[in-house]
Amino acid sequence: MDLTALKASAIQDIERANNTQEVEAARVKYLGRKEGELTAILRGLKDMTPEEKRTLGTAANELRQELEALIEKKLAAFARGPRTRFDVTKPGKKLALGHAHPLTKIDTQIREIFSSLNFSVVEGPELEEERYNFDALNIPGWHPARDMWDTFWVKNEVSAKRMLMRTHTSPMQVRYMEAHKAPFQIIVPGRTFRYEATDASHEINFYQVEGLVVGPDVTLANFKFVIEAFFKRFFGSEVEFRFRPSYFPFVEPGVEVDIRLPGGRWLEVMGAGMVHRNVFDAVKYDFRNVQGFAFGMGLDRLAMIKYGIPDIRLFYSGDLRFTKQF
Ligand code: FA5
C-alpha cells in the first residue's frame, strides 16, 4: 500500500472511532508493533537504497507522528466527556441568595440610628482582663455585685493577669476613656458571655450594645431624650417604655429600662445610669469637670420584641427554617 492511501484510511479510521476501544483498534492496525501497516513500512526501510530510505523514511516518520498526535487528541476528547447542548429557550433558574441573620440586621439598624444621632461606633475585645470587666468598673474582687455576672474564666498561661470572656460590653467604657479625652459619645456593639442557665430570655452567649456619653454638662435627662429618640426610630412612635430604679456598681444613680410587649407584659432591655465617680477616678478623669451617662442594652431582647420572637435560643439554633423568615 502506498503511503498516501495509508494516510487517508488511517485518518478516517481514527476520526470515525466512537470510543476509546475503537481508537485503540485503529492504533494497533497502523502503528501496532507487530502487525501495524505503517510499522511494516518503517521496518522495510532497512532493505531499501539510501535514496529511497531518505524520501520514504522521512515521509513515513512524519505520518507516524501525525497519527500519534491525532490519536492522543481523540482520547483526550473522550476523557472530557460529551459536549453539553444548551436549551436557550428554557426559563432562567433563580439563584438561592443567602441573607443576613436577624441579629445582624438589628445590629446594622442600631448602628445606623446612633450614627445619625452623632455617636461613633467602636468595638472591644471579647476576651477581657479582669481589671476592665470588673475592677475599674468599681467591682473589686470582694464585691458581692460580682455575683450579678456569672463568669467564664479563661486560663492565662502567658501572664499573671486574670482573663475572662467579657460578661458585658461595659469594659469598653474604661478602655475608651483611658485612650480618649471627653467630650465624646460612643456606642459599643459586641458579643458577651455568661455562665448561666438558659431560658426563653437568657442565653450563655448574647449581644449587647453599650452607650457612653461624657462631657461637661451631661445629665440623666439627656439619656432619657437619647433613648426615647432611639426607641421611636427603632420600634415606631407607639413604643411604650419605663424606667425603674436599679443598681449597678459603675453608675449612680442606676436605672433599668423595660419595654411593653403586645400582651401587656414588660421585658427588661437595658441597664443604665450616670457614670460613677470611681470609674472616672480609674481612668484619671476629673469628676468635677465631667459627667456622663452609660447604658447597656440587650440586642437579642430588642430583636425578640421587634420581630415577636418568643425564645432567644432560636437565634442560635442554626435552623434555616427560622432564619429564612427575616
Ligand atoms: C449589664 O450588663 C450592665 N453592663 C448594663 C449597664 C451598662 C448598666 C451601663 C449601667 C450602665 P445586665 O446584666 O442587666 O447589665 O444586662 C444588660 C442587658 O443585657 C439586660 O437588660 C438584657 O437585655 C441583656 N441580658 C443580660 N443577660 C442576658 C442573657 N443571659 N441573655 C440575653 N440577654 C441578656
Side-chain angles (χ1 to χ4, degrees):
M1 194 192 270
D2 75 29
L3 213 52
T4 324
L6 189 144
K7 177 175 176 173
S9 112
I11 288 177
Q12 198 178 63
D13 284 358
I14 297 168
E15 304 249 273
R16 285 193 183 161
N18 286 317
N19 51 46
T20 49
Q21 287 87 344
E22 288 178 25
V23 178
E24 179 58 16
R27 196 190 62 75
V28 172
K29 181 172 173 201
Y30 299 100
L31 302 173
R33 214 177 272 252
K34 282 187 196 149
E35 314 251 294
E37 292 176 20
L38 186 58
T39 317
I41 293 175
L42 287 163
R43 215 173 267 145
L45 287 174
K46 63 178 189 310
D47 304 323
M48 294 181 183
T49 65
E51 180 59 33
E52 280 173 327
K53 257 187 211 171
R54 205 174 311 123
T55 49
L56 189 62
T58 314
N61 269 310
E62 275 172 10
L63 180 58
R64 186 177 53 133
Q65 281 172 13
E66 193 181 333
L67 295 182
E68 278 170 353
L70 207 59
I71 286 167
E72 210 159 288
K73 206 169 128 194
K74 192 82 183 177
L75 290 174
F78 284 130
R80 249 183 276 125
R83 231 186 251 179
T84 18
R85 290 184 187 280
F86 293 101
D87 179 355
V88 292
T89 65
K90 263 188 164 176
K93 209 182 205 174
K94 194 176 174 208
L95 289 177
L97 288 180
H99 67 279
H101 188 278
L103 290 178
T104 309
K105 289 190 170 172
I106 295 295
D107 177 73
T108 307
Q109 284 172 20
I110 293 175
R111 288 170 191 247
E112 278 169 7
I113 295 172
F114 278 102
S115 298
S116 77
L117 292 169
N118 215 17
F119 280 67
S120 309
V121 182
V122 298
E123 292 184 14
E126 292 171 4
L127 177 62
E128 195 42 287
E129 295 172 24
E130 178 180 27
R131 168 178 141 70
Y132 288 111
N133 197 88
F134 289 126
D135 301 80
L137 286 169
N138 197 28
I139 324 170
W142 51 264
H143 201 296
R146 279 211 183 185
D147 294 346
M148 291 165 75
W149 293 276
D150 296 302
T151 308
F152 286 110
W153 292 95
V154 178
K155 198 188 274 177
N156 185 351
E157 287 173 340
V158 289
S159 81
K161 279 181 186 155
R162 292 229 294 164
M163 305 295 289
L164 49 84
M165 299 311 290
R166 65 175 172 196
T167 60
H168 49 181
T169 40
S170 301
M172 204 40 200
Q173 291 186 26
V174 181
R175 285 184 178 274
Y176 194 85
M177 288 193 281
E178 273 184 354
H180 299 84
K181 287 203 173 85
F184 61 80
Q185 31 194 27
I186 57 166
I187 58 159
V188 190
R191 191 173 185 177
T192 50
F193 307 82
R194 289 194 197 174
Y195 183 56
E196 62 186 28
T198 65
D199 64 24
S201 54
H202 293 83
E203 254 296 357
I204 56 168
N205 140 200
F206 56 102
Y207 289 84
Q208 285 190 343
V209 180
E210 193 79 7
L212 180 64
V213 175
V214 178
D217 305 304
V218 177
T219 70
L220 200 61
N222 296 139
F223 169 65
K224 214 167 173 186
F225 175 86
V226 165
I227 219 59
E228 183 164 356
F230 167 71
F231 281 155
K232 288 198 162 148
R233 289 272 295 280
F234 186 77
F235 289 116
S237 53
E238 305 299 293
V239 64
E240 267 187 87
F241 63 95
R242 70 178 182 193
F243 280 23
R244 273 183 294 111
S246 186
Y247 171 73
F248 299 95
F250 34 93
V251 289
E252 181 57 39
V255 296
E256 272 178 319
V257 185
D258 302 332
I259 286 188
R260 201 184 182 92
L261 303 178
R265 206 164 61 84
W266 296 92
L267 183 65
E268 175 206 316
V269 293
M270 75 172 83
M274 298 301 291
V275 179
H276 197 286
R277 67 170 275 191
N278 289 359
V279 178
F280 282 145
D281 284 348
V283 299
K284 307 206 164 57
Y285 274 24
D286 187 341
F287 71 92
R288 284 164 304 194
N289 300 332
V290 287
Q291 281 136 17
F293 68 76
F295 59 87
M297 53 191 178
L299 191 146
D300 308 67
R301 300 263 179 101
L302 294 177
M304 288 168 76
I305 298 170
K306 182 148 183 167
Y307 293 130
I309 295 166
D311 196 313
I312 190 173
R313 290 165 292 197
L314 286 164
F315 288 126
Y316 305 95
S317 62
D319 188 339
L320 287 179
R321 289 171 306 175
F322 168 74
T323 317
K324 278 182 174 161
Q325 296 174 50
F326 303 95

